[in-house]
mmCIF file of all heavy atoms in Angstrom:
data_model
loop_
_atom_site.group_PDB
_atom_site.id
_atom_site.type_symbol
_atom_site.label_atom_id
_atom_site.label_comp_id
_atom_site.label_asym_id
_atom_site.label_seq_id
_atom_site.Cartn_x
_atom_site.Cartn_y
_atom_site.Cartn_z
ATOM 1 N N SER U 98 128.175 10.031 96.296
ATOM 2 C CA SER U 98 128.370 10.956 97.326
ATOM 3 C C SER U 98 128.344 10.247 98.684
ATOM 4 O O SER U 98 129.077 10.501 99.649
ATOM 5 C CB SER U 98 127.396 12.104 97.350
ATOM 6 O OG SER U 98 127.646 12.853 96.038
ATOM 7 N N TYR U 99 127.208 9.434 98.769
ATOM 8 C CA TYR U 99 127.014 8.713 99.987
ATOM 9 C C TYR U 99 128.350 7.901 100.417
ATOM 10 O O TYR U 99 128.664 7.825 101.527
ATOM 11 C CB TYR U 99 125.935 7.820 100.003
ATOM 12 C CG TYR U 99 125.653 6.970 101.305
ATOM 13 C CD1 TYR U 99 124.803 7.466 102.196
ATOM 14 C CD2 TYR U 99 126.383 5.894 101.548
ATOM 15 C CE1 TYR U 99 124.483 6.759 103.372
ATOM 16 C CE2 TYR U 99 126.136 5.141 102.720
ATOM 17 C CZ TYR U 99 125.122 5.590 103.521
ATOM 18 O OH TYR U 99 124.994 4.901 104.811
ATOM 19 N N TYR U 100 128.838 7.285 99.373
ATOM 20 C CA TYR U 100 130.027 6.402 99.681
ATOM 21 C C TYR U 100 131.087 7.268 100.330
ATOM 22 O O TYR U 100 131.775 6.953 101.398
ATOM 23 C CB TYR U 100 130.668 5.739 98.452
ATOM 24 C CG TYR U 100 131.924 5.223 98.600
ATOM 25 C CD1 TYR U 100 132.113 3.843 99.056
ATOM 26 C CD2 TYR U 100 133.074 5.862 98.217
ATOM 27 C CE1 TYR U 100 133.390 3.389 99.292
ATOM 28 C CE2 TYR U 100 134.325 5.311 98.429
ATOM 29 C CZ TYR U 100 134.453 4.063 99.040
ATOM 30 O OH TYR U 100 135.805 3.496 99.198
ATOM 31 N N TRP U 101 131.531 8.492 99.757
ATOM 32 C CA TRP U 101 132.546 9.251 100.271
ATOM 33 C C TRP U 101 132.226 9.847 101.544
ATOM 34 O O TRP U 101 133.154 10.067 102.420
ATOM 35 C CB TRP U 101 132.940 10.257 99.167
ATOM 36 C CG TRP U 101 133.726 9.606 98.047
ATOM 37 C CD1 TRP U 101 133.327 9.281 96.787
ATOM 38 C CD2 TRP U 101 135.156 9.234 98.141
ATOM 39 N NE1 TRP U 101 134.365 8.755 96.029
ATOM 40 C CE2 TRP U 101 135.513 8.590 96.916
ATOM 41 C CE3 TRP U 101 136.082 9.167 99.183
ATOM 42 C CZ2 TRP U 101 136.710 8.071 96.707
ATOM 43 C CZ3 TRP U 101 137.283 8.524 98.919
ATOM 44 C CH2 TRP U 101 137.644 8.055 97.614
ATOM 45 N N ILE U 102 130.963 10.316 101.679
ATOM 46 C CA ILE U 102 130.551 10.894 102.974
ATOM 47 C C ILE U 102 130.700 9.865 104.037
ATOM 48 O O ILE U 102 131.110 10.119 105.144
ATOM 49 C CB ILE U 102 129.143 11.565 102.861
ATOM 50 C CG1 ILE U 102 129.201 12.838 101.900
ATOM 51 C CG2 ILE U 102 128.685 11.798 104.223
ATOM 52 C CD1 ILE U 102 127.755 13.276 101.559
ATOM 53 N N HIS U 103 130.202 8.633 103.760
ATOM 54 C CA HIS U 103 130.241 7.566 104.786
ATOM 55 C C HIS U 103 131.644 7.319 105.040
ATOM 56 O O HIS U 103 132.005 7.033 106.390
ATOM 57 C CB HIS U 103 129.438 6.366 104.271
ATOM 58 C CG HIS U 103 129.203 5.354 105.252
ATOM 59 N ND1 HIS U 103 128.652 4.133 104.916
ATOM 60 C CD2 HIS U 103 129.433 5.312 106.564
ATOM 61 C CE1 HIS U 103 128.459 3.393 105.945
ATOM 62 N NE2 HIS U 103 128.952 3.985 107.029
ATOM 63 N N ARG U 104 132.469 7.218 104.069
ATOM 64 C CA ARG U 104 133.898 6.873 104.331
ATOM 65 C C ARG U 104 134.515 7.946 105.202
ATOM 66 O O ARG U 104 135.235 7.709 106.117
ATOM 67 C CB ARG U 104 134.610 6.734 102.939
ATOM 68 C CG ARG U 104 136.118 6.302 103.144
ATOM 69 C CD ARG U 104 136.613 5.919 101.746
ATOM 70 N NE ARG U 104 138.050 5.630 101.970
ATOM 71 C CZ ARG U 104 138.821 5.253 100.963
ATOM 72 N NH1 ARG U 104 138.319 5.019 99.770
ATOM 73 N NH2 ARG U 104 140.082 5.119 101.053
ATOM 74 N N ALA U 105 134.098 9.274 104.983
ATOM 75 C CA ALA U 105 134.695 10.315 105.714
ATOM 76 C C ALA U 105 134.306 10.073 107.125
ATOM 77 O O ALA U 105 135.057 10.471 108.060
ATOM 78 C CB ALA U 105 134.306 11.680 105.226
ATOM 79 N N TYR U 106 133.041 9.684 107.460
ATOM 80 C CA TYR U 106 132.688 9.586 108.750
ATOM 81 C C TYR U 106 133.634 8.387 109.606
ATOM 82 O O TYR U 106 133.675 8.586 110.808
ATOM 83 C CB TYR U 106 131.157 9.095 108.934
ATOM 84 C CG TYR U 106 130.129 10.142 108.828
ATOM 85 C CD1 TYR U 106 129.264 10.163 107.764
ATOM 86 C CD2 TYR U 106 130.174 11.144 109.720
ATOM 87 C CE1 TYR U 106 128.267 11.236 107.755
ATOM 88 C CE2 TYR U 106 129.223 12.269 109.714
ATOM 89 C CZ TYR U 106 128.350 12.228 108.755
ATOM 90 O OH TYR U 106 127.446 13.148 108.637
ATOM 91 N N HIS U 107 134.108 7.509 108.811
ATOM 92 C CA HIS U 107 134.919 6.554 109.420
ATOM 93 C C HIS U 107 136.351 6.957 109.552
ATOM 94 O O HIS U 107 137.155 6.440 110.380
ATOM 95 C CB HIS U 107 134.858 5.280 108.711
ATOM 96 C CG HIS U 107 133.634 4.507 109.004
ATOM 97 N ND1 HIS U 107 133.640 3.321 109.783
ATOM 98 C CD2 HIS U 107 132.390 4.665 108.671
ATOM 99 C CE1 HIS U 107 132.373 2.861 109.936
ATOM 100 N NE2 HIS U 107 131.610 3.639 109.176
ATOM 101 N N GLU U 108 136.714 7.913 108.669
ATOM 102 C CA GLU U 108 138.190 8.292 108.534
ATOM 103 C C GLU U 108 138.596 9.580 109.069
ATOM 104 O O GLU U 108 139.770 10.021 109.108
ATOM 105 C CB GLU U 108 138.670 8.164 107.036
ATOM 106 C CG GLU U 108 138.577 6.796 106.440
ATOM 107 C CD GLU U 108 139.142 6.655 104.993
ATOM 108 O OE1 GLU U 108 139.536 7.606 104.577
ATOM 109 O OE2 GLU U 108 139.026 5.534 104.466
ATOM 110 N N VAL U 109 137.613 10.371 109.667
ATOM 111 C CA VAL U 109 137.960 11.786 110.202
ATOM 112 C C VAL U 109 137.310 11.515 111.651
ATOM 113 O O VAL U 109 136.111 11.353 111.819
ATOM 114 C CB VAL U 109 137.177 12.843 109.484
ATOM 115 C CG1 VAL U 109 137.384 14.210 110.210
ATOM 116 C CG2 VAL U 109 137.663 12.960 108.045
ATOM 117 N N ASN U 110 138.230 11.696 112.703
ATOM 118 C CA ASN U 110 137.919 11.507 114.129
ATOM 119 C C ASN U 110 136.629 12.187 114.608
ATOM 120 O O ASN U 110 135.676 11.788 115.138
ATOM 121 C CB ASN U 110 138.909 11.636 114.881
ATOM 122 C CG ASN U 110 138.958 10.859 116.322
ATOM 123 O OD1 ASN U 110 138.165 9.899 116.428
ATOM 124 N ND2 ASN U 110 139.603 11.348 117.300
ATOM 125 N N ILE U 111 136.449 13.559 114.187
ATOM 126 C CA ILE U 111 135.335 14.288 114.695
ATOM 127 C C ILE U 111 134.044 13.980 114.101
ATOM 128 O O ILE U 111 132.997 13.975 114.645
ATOM 129 C CB ILE U 111 135.624 15.804 114.594
ATOM 130 C CG1 ILE U 111 134.705 16.742 115.264
ATOM 131 C CG2 ILE U 111 135.676 16.101 113.009
ATOM 132 C CD1 ILE U 111 134.681 16.569 116.728
ATOM 133 N N LEU U 112 134.209 13.311 112.801
ATOM 134 C CA LEU U 112 132.942 12.927 112.096
ATOM 135 C C LEU U 112 132.634 11.570 112.738
ATOM 136 O O LEU U 112 131.336 11.205 112.848
ATOM 137 C CB LEU U 112 133.181 12.827 110.597
ATOM 138 C CG LEU U 112 133.319 14.129 109.813
ATOM 139 C CD1 LEU U 112 133.430 13.886 108.451
ATOM 140 C CD2 LEU U 112 132.212 14.965 110.190
ATOM 141 N N TRP U 113 133.613 10.803 113.094
ATOM 142 C CA TRP U 113 133.325 9.484 113.717
ATOM 143 C C TRP U 113 132.625 9.620 115.013
ATOM 144 O O TRP U 113 131.831 8.755 115.413
ATOM 145 C CB TRP U 113 134.662 8.736 113.988
ATOM 146 C CG TRP U 113 134.549 7.406 114.796
ATOM 147 C CD1 TRP U 113 135.107 7.099 115.865
ATOM 148 C CD2 TRP U 113 133.771 6.330 114.278
ATOM 149 N NE1 TRP U 113 134.765 5.753 116.237
ATOM 150 C CE2 TRP U 113 133.868 5.244 115.292
ATOM 151 C CE3 TRP U 113 133.093 5.970 113.112
ATOM 152 C CZ2 TRP U 113 133.474 3.950 115.147
ATOM 153 C CZ3 TRP U 113 132.570 4.617 112.945
ATOM 154 C CH2 TRP U 113 132.608 3.711 114.067
ATOM 155 N N ALA U 114 132.843 10.780 115.725
ATOM 156 C CA ALA U 114 132.166 11.061 117.016
ATOM 157 C C ALA U 114 130.580 11.133 116.745
ATOM 158 O O ALA U 114 129.953 10.823 117.725
ATOM 159 C CB ALA U 114 132.637 12.446 117.620
ATOM 160 N N LEU U 115 130.210 11.479 115.466
ATOM 161 C CA LEU U 115 128.764 11.400 115.124
ATOM 162 C C LEU U 115 128.360 10.058 114.802
ATOM 163 O O LEU U 115 127.347 9.491 115.264
ATOM 164 C CB LEU U 115 128.518 12.413 113.992
ATOM 165 C CG LEU U 115 128.805 13.897 114.122
ATOM 166 C CD1 LEU U 115 128.566 14.602 112.857
ATOM 167 C CD2 LEU U 115 127.998 14.570 115.232
ATOM 168 N N HIS U 116 129.132 9.341 113.945
ATOM 169 C CA HIS U 116 128.647 8.214 113.287
ATOM 170 C C HIS U 116 128.884 7.023 114.183
ATOM 171 O O HIS U 116 128.173 5.942 113.964
ATOM 172 C CB HIS U 116 129.466 7.951 112.010
ATOM 173 C CG HIS U 116 129.096 6.759 111.191
ATOM 174 N ND1 HIS U 116 127.810 6.756 110.598
ATOM 175 C CD2 HIS U 116 129.587 5.614 110.809
ATOM 176 C CE1 HIS U 116 127.672 5.613 109.971
ATOM 177 N NE2 HIS U 116 128.795 4.853 109.980
ATOM 178 N N GLN U 117 129.769 6.927 115.172
ATOM 179 C CA GLN U 117 129.911 5.755 116.022
ATOM 180 C C GLN U 117 128.527 5.416 116.733
ATOM 181 O O GLN U 117 128.497 4.176 117.102
ATOM 182 C CB GLN U 117 130.911 6.137 117.214
ATOM 183 C CG GLN U 117 130.740 7.357 117.935
ATOM 184 C CD GLN U 117 129.792 7.098 119.146
ATOM 185 O OE1 GLN U 117 129.592 6.021 119.665
ATOM 186 N NE2 GLN U 117 129.070 8.143 119.473
ATOM 187 N N VAL U 118 127.610 6.277 116.875
ATOM 188 C CA VAL U 118 126.414 5.956 117.474
ATOM 189 C C VAL U 118 125.844 4.724 116.718
ATOM 190 O O VAL U 118 125.280 3.713 117.318
ATOM 191 C CB VAL U 118 125.388 7.146 117.455
ATOM 192 C CG1 VAL U 118 124.082 6.646 118.083
ATOM 193 C CG2 VAL U 118 125.927 8.298 118.187
ATOM 194 N N HIS U 119 125.841 4.808 115.351
ATOM 195 C CA HIS U 119 125.268 3.624 114.584
ATOM 196 C C HIS U 119 125.978 2.318 114.759
ATOM 197 O O HIS U 119 125.439 1.295 114.463
ATOM 198 C CB HIS U 119 125.398 4.138 113.002
ATOM 199 C CG HIS U 119 124.580 3.108 112.204
ATOM 200 N ND1 HIS U 119 123.279 2.787 112.165
ATOM 201 C CD2 HIS U 119 125.165 2.367 111.119
ATOM 202 C CE1 HIS U 119 122.981 1.861 111.283
ATOM 203 N NE2 HIS U 119 124.031 1.689 110.714
ATOM 204 N N HIS U 120 127.279 2.370 115.192
ATOM 205 C CA HIS U 120 128.011 1.128 115.322
ATOM 206 C C HIS U 120 127.987 0.641 116.853
ATOM 207 O O HIS U 120 128.770 -0.243 117.143
ATOM 208 C CB HIS U 120 129.353 1.305 114.836
ATOM 209 C CG HIS U 120 129.520 1.433 113.362
ATOM 210 N ND1 HIS U 120 129.889 0.334 112.606
ATOM 211 C CD2 HIS U 120 129.222 2.552 112.531
ATOM 212 C CE1 HIS U 120 129.820 0.870 111.401
ATOM 213 N NE2 HIS U 120 129.494 2.070 111.273
ATOM 214 N N GLY U 121 127.221 1.336 117.646
ATOM 215 C CA GLY U 121 127.361 0.967 119.133
ATOM 216 C C GLY U 121 126.457 -0.150 119.537
ATOM 217 O O GLY U 121 126.695 -0.634 120.731
ATOM 218 N N SER U 122 125.839 -0.880 118.669
ATOM 219 C CA SER U 122 124.979 -1.985 119.121
ATOM 220 C C SER U 122 125.855 -3.237 118.965
ATOM 221 O O SER U 122 126.416 -3.532 117.957
ATOM 222 C CB SER U 122 123.731 -2.153 118.171
ATOM 223 O OG SER U 122 123.072 -3.261 118.402
#
Side-chain angles (χ1 to χ4, degrees):
S98 300
Y99 180 96
Y100 169 83
W101 284 106
I102 293 171
H103 191 186
R104 184 169 173 174
Y106 275 121
H107 281 258
E108 296 185 359
V109 178
N110 203 22
I111 191 63
L112 294 181
W113 175 245
L115 303 175
H116 188 61
Q117 55 79 30
V118 178
H119 185 61
H120 288 260
S122 176

